[in-house]
Every structure is written in C-alpha cells, then in structure tokens.
C-alpha cells in the first residue's frame, strides 16, 4: 500500500439493509497540505438486485452450511462482475476497490458481524486491489463496529456537525470539537418498504400511502416499549432483530399497512427527536439528512416538524449525496486503509482504540 498521502481513485461498493441493490460510487480522493481530504464523485449508480438475490440475502442465515458456502461464492462472483462491468461501462479505471458487502448478521456483543462478499474474489476477477470487512476489528476491540459513517462526515463534510441517515436503519451523528457520537436510532426504510410491498410496490413513493393512513397509538406504544430504544449509546441494530422482533408487531396487532406507514413515519421522527435531546450535549442548529428515506417527503415533513420544536433546521443536500453517501464512505475507508490512516472512531463505537479497518487482497 501507499507510503505517503497521494491521490487515488476508489470504487466504493455498499449494499444496504433495504436490499434495493448495490450502490457503486467511484470517487477521487486528493489530500491537501493542510491535512484535509477533498473528494470528487466521478460516477455513481445503483445496480438493482434480482428478486432471487433479495430472497437469498434475506434468508441466508437459514441455509445449510453447504448451501451457505455456495451462496457466498455466487454472491462474491456476482458483485465482482457488477463492479467490473460498471467500470467498463463508464470507462473509469480505479486504483482500489472498497467493498462493504452486505450485512447478514450483526451481533457485536457476541463478537459477530458478517458482511458477505469475498475481497479475494473481487480482486481476482477485477484485477484491482480490494479492501473489505471494515467492522470486525472494532468489534474485537470491544466496539459495536457501527456506525462507521462518521469518519466520512468528519473528513468530507466538515461544514456540517450533525447528520441523520435514513437508510434501512436510521442513524444519527453529532460532531463537537471534543468528540463524535453516533448510533443507530430506529428501524427506518426496512419497515416502510415492508409495508409498501404488502400494498404492491417496492416503496411508498413520496409517502403518499403514509399520508392517507391513520396514526395507530397501540403500535407506537408497543414499539416504544422495546428495550433497544431505551439503551444508552454506543448501540447498533441488527437486521435480523428488525425482521424477527420489530416488524412482526405490525401483523400481531393487525394494523392496516397504510396506518402502519403513517405510524412508522411519525414514530421515526419522534424517536430521532428524543435521541437527539437525550444524547446531545448541545443541540445542533442544523442537521444534514441523507439516505433513501430522504426521498419520502411525508417522512421528511414529520422529522422537520419534530425537530423544529427544539430549534433544529434540516438541510437536504444534492441527490448524489443523498443516495451515495454510504458508498462514498466505503470508498473513503478504502482510501484511508491505503494511506495507513485510522478510520474507526472509539467515541462512536465504544472500542478501546481506533483501527485502520479492512482486509486487503491484491488484484
């Protein structure tokens, strides 16, 4: 790897918990003499998963050991060809690939976090050096291995000090002069997309169904009673917990999907407000919102309404930042690995030290 700070072009790959596809973002990172890093997004897009992959990724932990190994090999080949074809289609050569992969299991208290997608396969099939598996070192050192987005916020968006990411899971980051805190606050798009699928769509466009639904106090109260929401930070959510504990509450209470969508949007907004009030030493004046949920105008209106009551303004960036902030983060973590710079933040994850996160395979 590099012995000094140099510009590099990196392809970042991110498969989020919403299962909408593989986000690929090719970025050029340039270190400046003042120690900061600038970035340029050259091209970014989402490669949608075929229904078969969505089903397999959702149920992989139920596979036999033999079937799981075959699935992992097939998935590694699939995403390798995704990024290889992506680079060829757009005519962009990269110095490095950074792959987050797809999280199948996340139980940091048990020392477990599995992101599928073998960097050795990616490196071999693309011929490009590849870095992957960015969470396990932090977990081994006592951390949550999540959130890992704050390093990108700190280095790439220094003009902002507070962030909300509305992905499959909503997470919050608060940056101060002395420290950075960040945490998974509540299930987000995983819940909204689940209910939209019952109504026959992949997602609730602009929150139109949510607008027509009625707030269900019983559903909100049952969600509020879940132990995770009361946990102190650092904390992070597992997708399997959402599928096994959080989502079934909707069907157990026989809540209409439109009412569930309305309740979820309002509950997400309320929980974000509660957590910011609970964990922030000083309330931020403005907060940047990114992630797929940002396109849900009803959800954004709920969040804006809640945060305005405590004097916080929201800021919505350009679409490329909204949709590809996490893929950009993955690319940055690859760049930091190449430059021998730590990329995890102990005040965020709870680990006993920072790490130069990732595993490297030569292309």
């Amino acid at each position: 790897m590099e012995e000094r700070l140099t510009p590099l072009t990196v392809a970042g790959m991110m498969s989020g918990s919403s299962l909408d596809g593989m986000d690929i973002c090719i970025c050029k990172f340039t270190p400046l003499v003042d120690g900061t890093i600038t970035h340029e997004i050259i091209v970014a897009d989402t490669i949608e998963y075929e229904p078969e992959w969505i089903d397999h990724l959702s149920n992989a932990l139920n596979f036999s050991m033999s079937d799981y190994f075959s699935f992992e090999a097939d998935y590694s080949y699939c995403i390798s060809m995704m990024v290889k074809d992506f680079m060829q289609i757009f005519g962009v050569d990269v110095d490095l690939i950074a792959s987050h992969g797809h999280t199948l299991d996340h139980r940091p208290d048990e020392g477990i976090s599995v992101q599928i997608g073998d960097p050795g396969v990616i490196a071999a099939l693309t011929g490009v050096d590849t870095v992957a598996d960015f969470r396990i070192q932090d977990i081994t050192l006592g951390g949550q291995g999540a959130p890992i987005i704050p390093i990108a916020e700190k280095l790439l968006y220094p003009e902002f000090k507070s962030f909300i990411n509305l992905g499959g899971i909503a997470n919050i980051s608060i940056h101060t002069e002395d420290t950075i805190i960040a945490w998974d606050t509540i299930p987000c798009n995983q819940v909204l997309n689940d209910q939209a699928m019952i109504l026959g769509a992949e997602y609730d466009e602009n929150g139109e169904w949510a607008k027509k639904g009625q707030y269900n106090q019983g559903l909100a109260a049952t969600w509020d009673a879940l132990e995770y929401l009361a946990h102190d930070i650092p904390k992070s959510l597992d997708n399997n917990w959402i599928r096994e504990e959080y989502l079934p509450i909707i069907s157990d209470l026989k809540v209409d999907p439109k009412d569930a969508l309305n309740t979820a949007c309002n509950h997400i907004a309320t929980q974000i407000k509660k957590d910011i009030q609970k964990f922030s030493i000083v309330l931020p004046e403005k907060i940047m919102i990114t992630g797929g949920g940002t396109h849900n105008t009803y959800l954004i209106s709920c969040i804006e309404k809640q945060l305005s009551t405590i004097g916080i303004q929201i800021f919505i960036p350009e679409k490329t930042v909204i949709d590809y902030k996490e893929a950009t983060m993955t690319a940055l973590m690859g760049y930091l690995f190449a430059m021998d710079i730590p990329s995890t933040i102990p005040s965020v994850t709870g680990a006993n030290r920072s790490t130069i996160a990732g595993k490297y395979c030569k292309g």
Side-chain angles (χ1 to χ4, degrees):
M1 306 309 288
E2 300 292 332
E3 296 181 356
R4 59 187 179 85
L5 298 188
T6 58
L8 288 180
T9 300
V10 185
M13 304 173 65
M14 178 75 189
S15 176
S17 56
S18 298
L19 284 170
D20 48 359
M22 177 65 72
D23 293 339
I24 303 178
C25 184
I26 297 180
C27 302
K28 181 176 182 180
F29 297 101
T30 304
L32 303 181
V33 292
D34 63 359
T36 61
I37 298 172
T38 65
H39 77 294
E40 173 195 358
I41 295 177
I42 298 171
V43 62
D45 205 351
T46 300
I47 313 301
E48 293 184 2
Y49 285 131
E50 296 292 336
E52 179 183 14
W53 282 118
I54 296 174
D55 179 66
H56 287 346
L57 289 167
S58 299
N59 297 290
L61 294 184
N62 298 320
F63 291 172
S64 68
M65 185 175 292
S66 176
D67 287 345
Y68 175 82
F69 288 149
S70 295
F71 163 65
E72 181 179 29
D74 290 344
Y75 182 74
S76 298
Y77 178 85
C78 175
I79 65 172
S80 299
M81 299 314 294
M82 280 183 178
V83 69
K84 183 177 182 179
D85 291 346
F86 189 90
M87 292 185 293
Q88 290 176 345
I89 289 169
F90 290 101
V92 181
D93 293 325
V94 302
D95 302 300
L96 183 71
I97 294 171
S99 174
H100 176 275
H102 185 86
T103 299
L104 293 181
D105 198 3
H106 183 72
R107 289 174 283 155
D109 293 342
E110 300 174 46
I112 296 169
S113 190
V114 178
Q115 285 75 47
I116 192 172
D118 192 321
V121 175
I122 299 171
L125 292 177
T126 62
V128 179
D129 297 0
T130 301
V131 182
D133 206 359
F134 296 105
R135 299 184 188 271
I136 196 62
Q137 291 151 274
D138 184 88
I139 289 171
T140 303
L141 292 169
Q144 291 286 305
I148 54 177
I149 192 71
I151 189 66
E153 296 164 345
K154 177 183 178 181
L155 296 178
L156 305 183
Y157 312 103
E159 66 272 28
F160 288 90
K161 302 301 178 186
S162 303
F163 304 84
I164 298 169
N165 189 70
L166 301 174
I169 296 167
N171 50 58
I172 301 170
S173 305
I174 306 292
H175 299 235
T176 68
E177 290 185 8
D178 299 322
T179 191
I180 300 172
I181 56 172
W183 64 98
D184 289 343
T185 178
I186 193 168
C188 187
N189 293 339
Q190 288 191 61
V191 179
L192 303 181
N193 293 351
D194 176 80
Q195 295 301 295
M197 287 179 184
I198 295 173
L199 294 168
E202 293 183 0
Y203 58 93
D204 182 11
E205 188 168 2
N206 296 322
E208 292 297 330
W209 281 323
K211 290 179 190 177
K212 297 173 183 176
Q214 298 296 313
Y215 186 77
N216 187 300
Q217 185 62 50
L219 175 59
T222 307
W223 277 337
D224 274 335
L226 292 171
E227 192 174 317
Y228 178 85
L229 298 189
H231 282 179
D232 202 355
I233 55 174
K235 60 179 180 176
S236 59
L237 277 167
D238 175 37
N239 297 326
N240 299 302
W241 178 84
I242 296 171
R243 286 192 290 266
E244 295 168 7
E245 303 290 336
Y246 200 88
L247 285 172
I249 293 171
I250 301 172
S251 56
D252 290 347
L253 296 178
K254 298 179 171 60
V255 179
D256 177 85
K258 292 179 183 177
D259 293 347
L261 286 165
N262 179 283
T263 306
C265 286
N266 281 280
H267 191 252
I268 290 164
T270 300
Q271 188 63 34
I272 286 172
K273 173 188 172 182
K274 285 181 180 178
D275 269 12
I276 291 174
Q277 287 181 298
K278 180 178 180 180
F279 298 126
S280 298
I281 298 173
V282 178
L283 291 179
E285 296 180 0
K286 183 182 288 188
I287 197 159
M288 178 195 284
I289 304 182
T290 57
T294 310
H295 299 301
N296 185 321
T297 53
Y298 181 71
L299 174 59
I300 290 298
S301 71
C302 294
I303 295 172
E304 185 172 27
K305 180 180 178 180
Q306 288 291 332
L307 295 186
S308 68
T309 65
I310 54 174
I312 300 175
Q313 296 180 340
I314 66 170
F315 172 78
I316 309 297
E318 61 184 88
K319 186 177 185 300
T320 303
V321 177
I322 291 173
D323 292 339
Y324 300 107
K325 180 183 169 192
E326 289 187 304
T328 303
M329 168 209 72
T330 306
L332 175 68
M333 294 191 75
Y335 177 76
L336 295 177
F337 183 96
M339 297 297 109
D340 206 29
I341 299 172
S343 56
T344 59
I345 302 174
S347 64
V348 170
T349 66
N352 57 44
R353 64 174 173 84
S354 61
T355 62
I356 301 170
K359 295 176 182 176
Y360 170 72
C361 290
K362 187 75 174 174

